[in-house]
Amino acid sequence: MRSLRRVWATRPLPVRVAVVVMLAGLVLFLLLAKASAAVVARTLTDGLDSDLAAAVGAAAPAVSEGRPVPRLPGPTTRVRVLNRAGAPLDGGGPVPLSARDVSRLLAGQPVWTSQAPPNAALSPTRWSGRVVSAPDGTPRLVVAGAESLAHASLIARTTAV
């Protein structure tokens, strides 16, 4: 430690000032990079959430009237009808939602899930949901989910500092 102080003290003042300014600039740059990554992530997530809320909003009236859920344009968003326990009621396969995810969706909070298809990387999916009453009065959870590989890739690239 003494030798490091001795080396630092023997350097000319302009060199020491330049090193301190460079280090301060590097720290500031890293903080700004982290902040901008957080803003990008939040903006993308908010856009995805509004798309999912629109999909749930379009499907909810059909469920409450007892009609089949209309197909959405585009392959990325899927709408499912579940009971309060998370079991599918629409004749589709199982939904990759845990009990905790279902309880958060019942409370109106969106959730992220990651599922690994065979021979593929993790596929992050954002889910949003709303409880509606079926014609017989039983509650149904209408959920919309969208895979977001582009979102995850962009976030991974912007946060790799």
Side-chain angles (χ1 to χ4, degrees):
M1 190 60 128
R2 267 180 201 232
S3 63
L4 185 60
R5 284 185 190 163
R6 192 175 316 130
V7 168
W8 180 254
T10 60
R11 299 292 173 223
L13 183 62
V15 170
R16 289 186 283 172
V17 169
V19 168
V20 169
V21 168
M22 180 185 68
L23 290 175
L26 179 63
V27 168
L28 181 62
F29 173 75
L30 291 175
L31 290 174
L32 287 174
K34 279 290 197 194
S36 65
V39 168
V40 167
R42 187 69 188 162
T43 302
L44 290 173
T45 302
D46 286 347
L48 192 56
D49 284 345
S50 65
D51 291 346
L52 293 175
V56 169
V63 172
S64 62
E65 294 170 5
R67 294 183 286 121
V69 175
R71 288 204 34 96
L72 296 172
T76 59
T77 303
R78 59 186 181 268
V79 175
R80 301 294 305 271
V81 180
L82 313 173
N83 64 15
R84 293 179 54 90
L89 299 173
D90 56 6
V95 180
L97 295 170
S98 68
R100 183 171 186 259
D101 293 336
V102 171
S103 64
R104 289 189 65 197
L105 289 167
L106 286 168
Q109 300 171 348
V111 297
W112 281 105
T113 62
S114 292
Q115 56 194 33
N119 303 323
L122 287 179
S123 175
T125 303
R126 183 76 166 174
W127 294 89
S128 183
R130 184 166 82 185
V131 177
V132 298
S133 294
D136 63 359
T138 57
R140 301 285 187 245
L141 177 60
V142 179
V143 296
E147 289 184 9
S148 185
L149 289 175
H151 178 273
S153 173
L154 183 60
I155 299 306
R157 287 182 190 166
T158 57
T159 56
V161 177

